[in-house]
């Protein structure tokens, strides 16, 4: 059995999480503090075999129906190797305290075209974070990143360099980001958290070994595109963004992303995560988003979710969650299909 040790120091925790090859910003200390402001209580656990760190998992307990709950590790656990996942999951039984199941989503980044690995004792489940994304290799540098773009995307990115002023900023740019983000969500009929949630992301993800920032593209001083990014353990993640339909000739969205990519290159990061594309483009509400993100090149990756059932109620509870999600989709956009 793996030895479990709780960790209560932000710098120590982030050092452990960042030291593991399979890791994510959503397992960092800052993300736990963001979710704490929404009522979640993070539990941060390091798992050892002898003196060797095998995994680090930040768990959140989520109330389901009545007394029933689940434990959830967003894009986690951080792992030494994916083959350790079944042992880590079984060790987490020690901290389950009545949860109906544990949901794990390690950020493996496996090729999207391949079937998800199967592990004994675990069931493939629905993800809570986007299951598919596109990763760009920042080690290619400026010219390599441009070379792998589709030709029209490369042209638009170069146009953006000439037409907009794209900068990396912090809290001073939040209100401009928020206007564009709200506008985009209304246009696309997407749900969002309260404004204070995104302010907390920008604040709390500036943490030991991590950074949060806004990349914003302006034309003659007017913000046309902005994204909220977090950087941790060599990755730059595009979490939220929005754009205006004004001055589309300026290609501001290309400029906003391009500036964030170059920031990652300048700071020695290895991966740019475009964070969320649909499983299938055909008929998807996010087809346009998918097409835009694919234009940057890179590789399509997948992060399967694994459930560890701990109660006979696992099956009916997960069915009820699926029905509720489908109803929210239908009420919001007139379709049962998920956005991503």
């Amino acid at each position: 059995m793996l030895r479990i040790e709780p960790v209560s120091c932000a710098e120590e925790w982030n050092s452990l999480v960042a030291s593991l090859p399979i890791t994510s910003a959503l397992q960092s200390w800052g993300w736990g503090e963001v979710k704490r402001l929404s009522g979640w209580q993070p539990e941060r656990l390091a798992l050892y075999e002898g003196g060797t760190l095998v995994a680090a998992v930040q768990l959140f307990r989520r109330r389901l129906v009545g007394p029933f709950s689940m434990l959830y590790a967003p894009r986690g656990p951080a792992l030494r190797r994916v083959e350790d996942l079944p042992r880590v999951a079984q060790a987490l039984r020690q901290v389950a305290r009545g949860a109906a199941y544990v949901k794990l989503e390690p950020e493996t980044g496996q090729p999207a075209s391949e079937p998800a690995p199967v592990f004994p004792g675990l069931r493939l489940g629905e993800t809570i974070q986007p299951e598919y994304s596109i990763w760009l290799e920042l080690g290619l540098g400026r010219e390599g990143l441009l070379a792998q773009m589709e030709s029209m995307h490369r042209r638009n990115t170069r146009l953006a360099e000439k037409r907009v002023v794209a900068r990396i900023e912090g809290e001073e740019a939040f209100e401009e980001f928020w206007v564009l983000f709200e506008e985009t969500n209304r246009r696309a009929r997407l749900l969002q958290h309260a404004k204070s949630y995104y302010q907390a992301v920008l604040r709390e993800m500036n943490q030991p070994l991590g950074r949060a920032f806004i990349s914003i593209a302006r034309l003659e001083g007017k913000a046309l595109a902005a994204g909220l990014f977090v950087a941790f353990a060599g990755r730059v993640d595009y979490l939220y963004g929005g754009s205006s339909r004004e001055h589309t000739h300026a290609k501001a969205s290309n400029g906003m992303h391009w500036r964030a990519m170059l920031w990652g290159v300048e700071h020695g990061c290895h991966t740019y995560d475009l964070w969320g594309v649909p499983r299938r483009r055909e008929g998807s509400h996010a087809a346009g988003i998918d097409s835009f993100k694919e234009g940057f090149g890179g590789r399509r990756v997948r992060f399967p979710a694994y459930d560890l059932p701990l109660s006979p109620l696992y099956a009916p509870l997960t069915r009820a969650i699926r029905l509720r999600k489908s109803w929210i989709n239908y009420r919001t956009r007139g379709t049962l299909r998920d956005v991503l």
Side-chain angles (χ1 to χ4, degrees):
M1 181 66 70
L2 298 174
R3 186 177 81 257
I4 298 180
E5 294 186 6
V7 179
S8 57
C9 169
E11 190 162 358
E12 178 188 358
W13 177 255
N14 280 357
S15 294
L16 291 173
V17 173
S19 73
L20 292 162
I22 300 172
T23 192
S24 168
L26 301 197
Q27 284 293 294
S28 72
W29 186 276
W31 193 254
E33 298 309 294
V34 170
K35 303 309 288 185
R36 190 190 296 278
L37 297 172
S38 302
W40 305 113
Q41 293 301 313
E43 189 169 352
R44 301 168 176 114
L45 307 168
L47 289 82
Y48 293 89
E49 184 172 47
T52 301
L53 179 68
V54 174
V57 57
Q58 179 166 243
L59 283 173
F60 299 95
R61 187 174 295 270
R62 180 180 182 182
R63 187 66 56 190
L64 299 174
V65 180
F68 306 113
S69 65
M70 63 174 281
L71 287 173
Y72 171 48
R75 289 283 175 93
L79 293 166
R80 177 185 59 173
R81 52 181 195 150
V82 71
E83 291 80 8
D84 291 321
L85 185 63
R87 287 199 303 152
V88 171
Q90 293 301 325
L92 293 178
R93 289 178 177 270
Q94 300 173 59
V95 299
R97 298 193 304 277
Y101 63 103
V102 181
K103 181 176 288 291
L104 306 173
E105 296 176 344
E107 194 164 282
T108 52
Q110 69 167 79
S113 58
E114 294 182 2
V118 176
F119 297 105
L122 296 175
R123 299 189 189 184
L124 281 169
E126 284 202 34
T127 61
I128 294 177
Q129 300 302 318
E131 185 173 355
Y132 292 85
S133 185
I134 293 172
W135 276 0
L136 307 180
E137 185 181 338
L138 295 177
L140 294 172
R142 174 191 171 88
E143 296 308 315
L145 287 166
L146 282 169
Q148 73 171 1
M149 293 181 191
E150 294 177 359
S151 59
M152 185 58 70
H153 233 59
R154 183 165 54 251
R155 173 182 174 275
N156 289 343
T157 299
R158 285 176 167 153
L159 281 174
E161 283 192 292
K162 298 175 182 177
R163 294 176 177 175
V164 298
V165 176
R167 297 179 57 183
I168 301 299
E169 300 187 16
E171 293 185 17
E172 69 277 9
F174 181 82
E175 292 300 329
E176 291 172 289
F177 157 80
W178 181 249
V179 169
L180 292 167
F181 183 60
E182 274 202 310
E183 175 188 334
T184 301
N185 285 345
R186 281 196 302 270
R187 195 166 64 227
R189 290 179 292 166
L190 299 175
L191 299 175
Q192 65 186 48
H193 297 284
K195 183 178 183 179
S196 58
Y197 180 90
Y198 304 95
Q199 290 172 314
V201 173
L202 188 55
R203 181 179 65 251
E204 299 295 341
M205 295 301 279
N206 276 309
Q207 58 180 324
L209 305 180
R211 173 85 184 272
F213 60 85
I214 289 172
S215 178
I216 187 164
R218 300 183 181 93
L219 177 64
E220 298 177 351
K222 181 177 177 57
L224 297 181
L228 200 168
F229 294 80
V230 299
F232 183 78
R235 292 190 177 91
V236 178
D237 298 332
Y238 168 59
L239 295 188
Y240 315 106
S243 61
S244 171
R245 284 186 165 174
E246 296 182 50
H247 305 294
T248 55
H249 70 283
K251 307 304 177 186
S253 293
N254 289 72
M256 176 269 286
H257 276 287
W258 185 232
R259 186 65 197 93
M261 289 178 204
L262 294 180
W263 183 94
V265 172
E266 292 158 6
H267 287 78
C269 299
H270 54 73
T271 302
Y272 189 87
D273 189 340
L274 281 157
W275 204 267
V277 293
R279 184 172 311 183
R280 295 182 303 277
R281 183 183 298 177
E282 298 77 15
S284 170
H285 192 70
I289 295 171
D290 189 13
S291 179
F292 174 76
K293 290 181 178 181
E294 278 205 334
F296 288 110
R299 58 190 178 99
R300 204 175 186 92
V301 293
R302 181 184 183 189
F303 317 105
Y306 296 92
D307 292 349
L308 174 68
L310 299 172
S311 164
L313 294 171
Y314 164 76
L317 284 172
T318 51
R319 281 197 297 269
I321 291 169
R322 177 65 262 175
L323 287 170
R324 180 177 182 274
K325 190 172 183 182
S326 295
W327 166 243
I328 291 172
N329 288 338
Y330 184 77
R331 186 181 63 189
T332 306
R333 293 180 298 280
T335 175
L336 300 179
R337 184 170 176 172
D338 296 337
V339 173
L340 297 177

